Amino acid sequence: MHNTNAATPALPEIGLARFGQFRPRRLLLVAALVALAVAPGELGALTRSLMQDAFVQVSAFVAATLLLFYGLEKLFRFDMGVAMGKARGMQVPIAALLGATPGCGGAVVVVAAYASGKVSFGAVVATLTATMGDAAFLLIATRPDAALVLLPIQFTAGILTGWLIDRFVTSDYRPKGGACELAPRIGKTRLRDYVYLAAAIPGLIVGAAQIGAIEINHVLGMPVTWFALAGVFTGLAIWAASPVNAMTNATDGPVTRMAEETAFISVWVIIAYLAYDYAAAYAGLDLKAMFASIAPVLPLIAAAIGFVPGCGPQVLVATLYVNGAIPFSALMANAISNDGDALFPAIALAPRAAIMATVFSTIPALIVAYSFYFFAPGFLN
């Protein structure tokens, strides 16, 4: 979750007037999603239902996690980069732990610390190996049993890989010239940030109830569909006008950072949900049968998808797993191989390190994935 224009100086603070300055490409996508949602008949009904599911099953949990993380960070004013620089032998385990944290914020901290000379290259490899990016939120919300297995394995693989890298790789991939500003500052918390939070709170209640197999149709007398779609459309508006590409500036308020980053993640989750169900409902595709015919190479394909920067493709892979289209081994390959949105700032701050770290993280991805494929083929499928 990070700004791709890392070398660009920070923009001035952006207030409510910025809300009208939509980004054309994003606005086109938002317009298409809104058109699908308001379409008559089965198409509109299916789209709204999937958007509601995406909001209460994933977005609300993402919002709660980010608000907790950024709130604590703001409260204690703790600089993890400096702490890691003093940790010496514990740098790699700490980096892996930050990477294993859902989302991309922890991995970004490690990448920035490496670019400024605070941590080793092994720490970068450890955090990128351990991170699943934003796809972790989707997995935790929909398949917590799989997340309880996958995330600790990634964490362990990250530590071992990072230690091996520090032991045997002597090349210095650190860039010359130091770090730079990663995201523009928004400034004062905006009305739309509070609106998004207001929709996420009942969404979290409904999502938590669904995990416990409890169906809730109304919260405070309001139908779930109403506040879920209000949250979805508010998030789409925030994303369409956002001055950042994913990750927010650390100086912004927790509610603003939560709204901006959750909106970014939610767009990809909605697209993944729609793509899967549209393929089944309107294209007649049986993705499970299709992928079963190429099962031996699925972990390799999933690992290759991990090379793609950003969380969109990785969220789609997780969605395929949640819907039973691909095995756990393929999910494992993608989760260990992919770097999520953390790869964007890594490329901007330390391009050689980003490329080499991605290559190195693919090795444990294939080893662990094919171990599951051959020795536990039906595990968590």
Side-chain angles (χ1 to χ4, degrees):
M1 297 183 298
H2 225 318
N3 178 26
T4 55
N5 298 324
T8 304
L11 297 175
E13 291 188 11
I14 298 169
L16 287 173
R18 180 63 177 78
F19 191 69
Q21 299 173 14
F22 292 100
R23 299 170 67 166
R25 292 181 182 177
R26 292 189 178 188
L27 188 58
L28 285 175
L29 178 57
V30 168
L33 291 174
V34 172
L36 290 170
V38 300
E42 181 185 351
L43 176 61
L46 176 61
T47 302
R48 292 189 296 274
S49 174
L50 293 170
M51 286 181 168
Q52 175 181 322
D53 288 344
F55 187 79
V56 301
Q57 293 175 3
V58 181
S59 299
F61 288 93
V62 174
T65 303
L66 291 178
L67 190 60
L68 176 63
F69 181 82
Y70 291 139
L72 292 175
E73 185 182 77
K74 195 82 170 181
L75 178 64
F76 293 106
R77 298 180 181 178
F78 184 68
D79 191 327
M80 182 58 72
V82 174
M84 290 183 65
K86 298 177 180 178
R88 297 183 181 275
M90 289 299 293
Q91 282 184 3
V92 167
I94 293 173
L97 180 61
L98 288 172
T101 304
C104 300
V108 169
V109 169
V110 179
V111 170
Y114 174 75
S116 58
K118 296 184 180 73
V119 300
S120 68
F121 179 60
V124 175
V125 176
T127 198
L128 294 183
T129 299
T131 189
M132 191 182 178
D134 296 333
F137 288 118
L138 173 62
L139 191 65
I140 291 171
T142 57
R143 284 295 303 271
D145 56 332
L148 283 173
V149 175
L150 177 57
L151 297 181
I153 290 177
Q154 283 191 261
F155 173 60
T156 304
I159 293 176
L160 295 177
T161 307
W163 277 341
L164 289 172
I165 292 297
D166 278 346
R167 175 67 178 82
F168 296 106
V169 177
T170 58
S171 300
D172 185 5
Y173 302 109
R174 192 173 285 109
K176 304 298 186 291
C180 54
E181 185 63 58
L182 292 174
R185 185 171 188 267
I186 293 172
K188 186 178 179 181
T189 303
R190 307 154 302 186
L191 175 60
R192 58 186 177 275
D193 301 328
Y194 290 118
V195 171
Y196 197 75
L197 176 62
I201 292 173
L204 182 64
I205 296 173
V206 175
Q210 287 186 358
I211 293 177
I214 301 173
E215 184 177 355
I216 297 179
N217 296 317
H218 292 75
V219 175
L220 299 176
M222 181 184 296
V224 171
T225 302
W226 289 10
F227 67 74
L229 291 180
V232 167
F233 293 136
T234 301
L236 290 175
I238 290 173
W239 179 74
S242 175
V244 299
N245 285 345
M247 193 72 182
T248 51
N249 192 297
T251 61
D252 279 322
V255 177
T256 296
R257 300 186 70 187
M258 174 279 297
E260 285 281 340
E261 295 183 22
T262 305
F264 174 85
I265 296 168
S266 298
V267 170
W268 287 109
V269 173
I270 290 170
I271 291 173
Y273 271 46
L274 295 181
Y276 185 88
D277 279 75
Y278 283 179
Y282 300 113
L285 296 180
D286 186 343
L287 296 180
K288 187 173 182 179
M290 183 189 306
F291 289 134
S293 65
I294 56 171
V297 297
L298 279 179
L300 182 62
I301 294 173
I305 294 174
F307 276 88
V308 181
C311 288
Q314 327 313 334
V315 169
L316 181 56
V317 171
T319 302
L320 291 174
Y321 169 74
V322 168
N323 284 280
I326 62 174
F328 183 72
S329 57
L331 176 69
M332 177 72 73
N334 177 261
I336 296 177
S337 173
N338 95 71
D339 306 323
D341 289 317
L343 194 57
F344 287 132
I347 292 172
L349 292 174
R352 292 178 63 218
I355 294 171
M356 294 309 301
T358 300
V359 171
F360 285 130
S361 68
T362 304
I363 298 173
L366 294 176
I367 292 174
V368 176
Y370 275 106
S371 296
F372 272 91
Y373 179 81
F374 288 114
F375 300 110
F379 185 72
L380 285 176
N381 289 345

